[in-house]
């Protein structure tokens, strides 16, 4: 690229002169998608009370979103290639706003679950379109690096914004506004996209792997639903076993079909690479534990310790700050000099150590002495892990595979969150029921026993999460054998962090 006399790079022919405003629109839409995974956490106790959800079913408010998002993300990328990225981006925005309106107006828990699933489906259209538009809008390598930096910072701060916004909206309006707030954001983004974004027409020769989407998403839904039904029915119930076995069978059929599909959703050579497969597994397992903490700590702070929604949102801020510090100030500086697993393994051990603090919680625990240290260690561990996972998973990928690789990292995040929320919530509610049944001897102490039982359920589930975190560290240590990267590249799309 030629330079002007002032040393500034010239604008290539055809490059959009309003591209930085276009970045604002793309980042705004992506921020909406990311924060929607956490904004409802703070509102969940209020929503559960208003819609009379059971403890076993409440996790579907989160799981319905993450499951539809993760299960349809690869298909959403293919749709964007077929229809065109700008058109898919706008359809995703309008659909997301409509689903948010439906969820905000929900009168039953089933209506809210369905609206959240619709949000996830339209997010699966929106996210890959946003990433692709960013890549095609910024063609200069230096500008692209700056654009991805801004995009990543906004996406990375999504959880903090979600926690604080969720607290403010729940406390000063009501929980429904945690969904309604998406409507004005989406409207602004739609008008901005119509005026500022440009894209080539879609490719008519692109084929949609509908059987693959049905098998993959159907298998995940069956497994997650099986985990959630284990709480009321028991793990040996025929319905639960049928769902779990059927889900595994559908996923096996998905893999079989991907070998034969003319346009597979997930080309299997992407996951045959040892380092890449190790990164996908590490990310999925890590997020299982983290999403469980989001759910349990939200209820612990509000229901057990009596925090207001705003105070609860602020209580999560140290976690996000620690993730950002671990990722940008530690991992990003050390990765050029260290093998990725030298960051990922200690990161998972740190995260597990942080979660050990939560296994000691009681009905009278102190935030500063017992909750805050765990949040800080968990955040630093996740920050150490996320950055090398992203960098290693997308390193050395052929240009034609960069999009699907990025989508697969995101899929592992969302699927991990779905499975983790359902599995750990089931373990927690089952343990609570058993504890209360075993200790409820004096009816006069019922309220205290129930509160103790709820916290006991959380700690049992978090012990499982600790084990899952350590398993993620073991997988990273054994499978991710890549050497320190010699250089970085800005050609491959950068997946957004889950927080």
């Amino acid at each position: 690229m030629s330079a002007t006399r002032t040393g500034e790079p010239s604008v290539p022919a055809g490059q959009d002169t309003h591209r930085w405003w276009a970045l604002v629109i793309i980042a705004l839409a992506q921020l909406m998608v990311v924060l929607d995974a956490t904004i409802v956490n703070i509102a969940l106790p209020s929503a559960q009370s208003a819609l009379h959800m059971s403890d076993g079913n409440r996790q579907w408010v989160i799981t319905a979103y993450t499951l539809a998002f993760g299960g349809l993300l690869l298909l959403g990328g293919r749709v964007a290639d077929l229809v065109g990225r700008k058109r898919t981006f706008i359809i995703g925005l309008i659909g997301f706003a409509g689903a948010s309106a439906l969820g905000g107006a929900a009168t039953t828990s089933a209506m809210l679950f369905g609206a959240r699933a619709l949000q996830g489906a339209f997010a699966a259209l929106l996210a890959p379109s946003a990433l692709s538009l960013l890549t095609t809008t910024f063609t200069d390598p230096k500008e692209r690096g700056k654009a991805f930096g801004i995009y990543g910072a906004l996406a990375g701060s999504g959880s903090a914004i979600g926690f604080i916004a969720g607290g403010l909206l729940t406390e000063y309006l009501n929980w429904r506004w945690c969904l309604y707030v998406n409507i004005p954001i989406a409207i602004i983004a739609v008008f901005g996209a119509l005026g500022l974004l440009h894209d080539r027409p879609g490719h008519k020769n692109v084929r949609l792997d509908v059987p693959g989407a049905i098998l993959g998403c159907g298998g995940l839904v069956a497994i997650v639903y099986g985990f959630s039904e284990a709480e009321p029915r028991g793990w040996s119930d025929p319905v639960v076993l049928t769902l779990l076995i059927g889900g595994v069978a559908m996923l096996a059929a998905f893999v079989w079909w991907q070998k034969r599909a003319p346009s597979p959703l997930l080309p299997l050579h992407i996951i045959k690479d040892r380092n890449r497969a190790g990164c996908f597994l590490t990310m999925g397992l890590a997020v299982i534990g983290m999403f469980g903490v989001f759910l349990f700590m939200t209820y612990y702070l509000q229901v057990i310790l009596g925090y207001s929604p705003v105070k609860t949102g602020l209580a999560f801020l140290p976690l996000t700050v620690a993730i950002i510090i671990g990722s940008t100030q530690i991992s990003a500086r050390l990765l050029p000099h260290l093998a990725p697993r030298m960051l990922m393994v200690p990161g998972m051990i740190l995260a597990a150590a942080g979660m050990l603090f939560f296994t000691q919680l009681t009905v009278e625990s102190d935030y500063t002495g017992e909750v805050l240290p765990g949040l800080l260690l968990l955040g630093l561990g996740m920050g150490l892990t996320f950055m090398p996972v992203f960098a290693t998973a997308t390193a050395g990928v052929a240009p034609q595979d960069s999009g699907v690789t990025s989508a697969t990292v995101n899929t592992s995040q969302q699927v991990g969150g779905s499975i983790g929320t359902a599995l750990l919530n089931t373990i927690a509610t089952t343990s609570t029921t058993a504890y209360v049944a075993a200790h409820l001897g004096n009816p006069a102490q019922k309220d205290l026993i129930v509160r103790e039982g709820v916290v006991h359920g959380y700690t049992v589930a978090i012990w499982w999460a600790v084990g899952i975190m350590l398993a993620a560290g073991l997988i990273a240590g054994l499978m991710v054998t890549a050497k320190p990267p010699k250089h970085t590249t800005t050609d491959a799309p950068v997946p957004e962090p889950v927080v």
Side-chain angles (χ1 to χ4, degrees):
M1 179 179 295
S2 62
T4 63
R5 292 182 181 179
T6 59
E8 295 294 325
S10 60
V11 179
Q15 180 162 292
D16 185 5
T17 56
H18 299 294
R19 58 195 177 280
W20 293 107
W21 282 109
L23 172 63
V24 172
I25 298 301
I26 295 170
L28 185 66
Q30 187 59 37
L31 179 63
M32 179 180 69
V33 170
V34 173
L35 68 83
D36 225 66
T38 58
I39 192 171
V40 296
N41 272 275
I42 305 300
L44 194 49
S46 300
Q48 181 180 1
S49 176
L51 300 181
H52 310 291
M53 299 178 208
S54 68
D55 286 348
N57 285 335
R58 68 189 177 193
Q59 51 89 14
W60 280 105
V61 176
I62 299 169
T63 302
Y65 178 79
T66 56
L67 189 58
F69 190 2
L72 297 174
L73 193 55
L74 292 169
L75 183 65
R78 289 290 188 183
V79 171
D81 290 337
L82 175 64
V83 177
R85 295 170 181 86
K86 177 179 175 178
R87 186 178 300 175
T88 307
F89 183 78
I90 293 172
I91 292 171
L93 284 169
I94 295 172
F96 199 92
S100 299
L102 183 65
T107 55
T108 65
S109 58
M111 184 175 173
L112 179 58
F113 300 157
R116 289 287 287 166
L118 273 177
Q119 279 187 308
F122 283 109
L125 284 179
L126 192 55
S129 302
L131 204 56
S132 297
L133 284 167
L134 188 63
T135 302
T136 56
T137 300
F138 291 90
T139 54
D140 178 81
K142 292 182 180 179
E143 285 194 349
R144 183 182 292 186
K146 185 185 295 184
F148 271 117
I150 296 171
Y151 176 88
L154 285 172
S157 62
S159 67
I161 297 172
F163 285 131
I164 296 172
L168 290 169
L169 292 169
T170 302
E171 186 161 341
Y172 295 112
L173 293 172
N174 61 52
W175 66 268
R176 298 180 185 276
W177 280 94
C178 291
L179 294 161
Y180 287 146
V181 71
N182 294 318
I183 299 173
I185 297 175
I187 290 173
I188 293 171
V190 166
F191 281 106
L194 289 171
L196 295 170
L197 297 181
H198 304 283
D199 187 36
R200 305 181 190 90
H203 303 285
K204 294 183 179 180
N205 59 341
V206 172
R207 297 182 181 180
L208 297 182
D209 183 15
V210 176
I214 293 173
L215 289 170
C217 195
L220 293 172
V221 169
I223 289 173
V224 171
Y225 189 51
F227 284 149
S228 65
E229 284 296 297
E231 188 269 327
R233 296 176 179 270
W235 289 99
S236 60
D237 184 85
V239 173
V240 173
L241 292 176
T242 299
L243 286 168
L244 295 177
I245 295 172
V248 172
M250 289 184 75
L251 292 181
F254 169 79
V255 174
W256 173 85
W257 172 249
Q258 294 307 285
K259 294 179 180 179
R260 293 157 179 80
S263 298
L265 277 182
L266 179 60
L268 293 184
H269 67 267
I270 296 292
I271 58 175
K272 284 182 179 179
D273 179 86
R274 175 177 180 149
N275 290 301
R276 203 166 290 126
C279 287
F280 295 152
L281 286 172
T282 300
M283 175 58 74
L285 291 172
V287 174
I288 285 177
M290 192 172 71
F291 267 59
V293 168
F294 284 173
L295 177 66
F296 300 141
M297 294 309 296
T298 294
Y299 273 87
Y300 179 77
L301 293 172
Q302 289 192 53
V303 177
I304 304 299
L305 297 187
Y307 280 25
S308 69
V310 170
K311 189 175 180 181
T312 302
L314 293 173
F316 276 103
L317 269 183
L319 172 70
T320 303
V321 172
I323 289 175
I324 293 173
I325 291 173
S327 179
T328 63
Q329 301 304 310
I330 301 177
S331 275
R333 295 175 185 272
L334 294 179
L335 185 59
H337 312 289
L338 293 176
R341 64 178 172 182
M342 298 301 292
L343 294 168
M344 294 161 65
V345 173
M348 287 293 89
I349 293 174
L350 264 182
M355 299 187 82
L356 283 174
F357 276 87
F358 305 141
T359 64
Q360 307 304 310
L361 293 176
T362 68
V363 293
E364 298 177 345
S365 290
D366 173 62
Y367 174 82
T368 304
E370 297 173 77
V371 176
L372 180 59
L375 291 176
L376 291 173
L377 285 175
L378 175 63
L380 282 174
M382 285 298 188
L384 282 175
T385 304
F386 283 156
M387 194 273 173
V389 164
F390 294 150
T392 307
T394 56
V397 178
Q400 66 269 21
D401 291 329
S402 60
V404 70
T405 303
S406 172
T408 306
V409 179
N410 282 286
T411 298
S412 68
Q413 292 177 343
Q414 302 301 330
V415 170
S418 303
I419 293 175
T421 303
L423 174 62
L424 296 179
N425 186 69
T426 294
I427 292 172
T429 51
T430 303
S431 300
T432 294
T433 302
Y435 182 93
V436 172
H439 292 81
L440 193 58
N442 184 357
Q445 295 183 321
K446 180 179 179 180
D447 289 344
L448 176 61
I449 295 298
V450 169
R451 285 162 57 84
E452 289 178 344
V454 168
V455 176
H456 171 75
Y458 295 164
T459 58
V460 170
I462 291 171
W463 271 113
W464 279 80
V466 169
I468 293 169
M469 289 283 192
L470 293 176
L474 181 63
I475 287 173
L478 295 176
M479 293 186 66
V480 183
T481 57
K483 297 179 179 179
K486 301 296 183 182
H487 60 278
T488 59
T489 178
T490 57
D491 291 336
V494 180
E496 76 276 0
V498 75
V499 295

